Amino acid sequence: MTDTPKKTLTITRKPTTPSASPPAGTVQRTGKRIIRREELPQVQRAGQGKPKPKPPANAKPKKPRKPPAPKKQVTPPSQLKLRELNDRLNAFRVWFDFHPLAIGIEKDIFRLVNEEQFPGASKKVVQKLLRMHVNHGVYLQNIQSGTDRYHLDGTPDGTITDYQRQLATDTITKRLQGKS
């Protein structure tokens, strides 16, 4: 291997002559010329698009766009099944009059769903329907004043405890306080 030194390239600036004065509108800095944007000729830049022509003086103003029509609300299938099941259960006098239901009534409702073959009436649909029914104001008032609980066919099954009456009273009180 030979040890020859590498050549280095250096660029040196030419000294500016004091007799040459820079043209008007430019600033001389270390030999570079600076051009200001205002001094550039008007050239259409990319992304600006074509300039809009002015409308004639007798032209009518454009009408504003109509807002899009609201989307038609679609009822979910589970909600349809819930309504269908509620309509079927309204045939029972106990359900229709909001009498206190027996503990474990969901088993009777599931049996009814299986016997009548309600397609799509899932466990969640039955639970949601029961929750809506037992939180209804009339049902809670019947819990407060009633003594017995009933099956769907109207046979009594169990009694309402003082604790359950107190829960119904508290729920009604909270709802009334929330409205005022």
Side-chain angles (χ1 to χ4, degrees):
M1 205 166 172
T2 60
D3 291 331
T4 58
K6 291 185 179 181
K7 293 184 180 180
T8 58
L9 179 64
T10 59
I11 299 176
T12 57
R13 282 196 176 206
K14 294 181 182 178
T16 58
T17 58
S19 62
S21 63
T26 60
V27 177
Q28 186 84 20
R29 287 190 194 156
T30 63
K32 292 182 182 178
R33 191 176 88 156
I34 297 176
I35 301 173
R36 292 190 178 88
R37 186 172 292 219
E38 301 89 39
E39 296 170 358
L40 286 175
Q42 291 297 326
V43 178
Q44 187 173 357
R45 291 173 184 78
Q48 287 182 341
K50 295 181 180 178
K52 293 183 181 179
K54 293 184 179 179
N58 60 355
K60 294 179 184 177
K62 289 186 176 180
K63 292 181 181 178
R65 275 189 173 180
K66 290 182 182 178
K71 290 185 177 179
K72 188 176 180 182
Q73 289 186 344
V74 179
T75 307
S78 62
Q79 191 68 25
L80 294 173
K81 290 298 173 187
L82 187 135
R83 289 181 193 161
E84 205 175 298
L85 183 59
N86 189 37
D87 291 342
R88 173 62 183 102
L89 290 174
N90 278 335
F92 295 103
R93 195 76 182 155
V94 172
W95 186 271
F96 184 75
D97 291 337
F98 290 95
H99 289 297
L101 298 173
I103 303 295
I105 194 74
E106 67 269 1
K107 292 176 186 172
D108 293 341
I109 295 174
F110 284 128
R111 193 173 307 117
L112 177 75
V113 166
N114 287 334
E115 287 173 2
E116 296 189 7
Q117 298 170 347
F118 275 100
S122 65
K123 181 178 179 180
K124 286 186 178 185
V125 169
V126 171
Q127 288 174 341
K128 184 175 181 180
L129 180 64
L130 270 172
R131 201 174 312 117
M132 287 172 42
H133 186 78
V134 299
N135 284 321
H136 196 277
V138 177
Y139 184 85
L140 293 172
Q141 288 174 350
N142 286 340
I143 290 284
Q144 280 181 323
S145 61
T147 57
D148 291 331
R149 293 182 168 276
Y150 300 95
H151 282 287
L152 288 176
D153 59 1
T155 58
D157 180 35
T159 59
I160 300 170
T161 64
D162 292 334
Y163 177 73
Q164 293 164 346
R165 276 197 192 89
Q166 186 60 40
L167 281 176
T169 305
D170 293 345
T171 305
I172 291 172
T173 307
K174 284 180 186 177
R175 286 185 189 173
L176 291 176
Q177 289 175 352
K179 288 184 179 180
S180 50

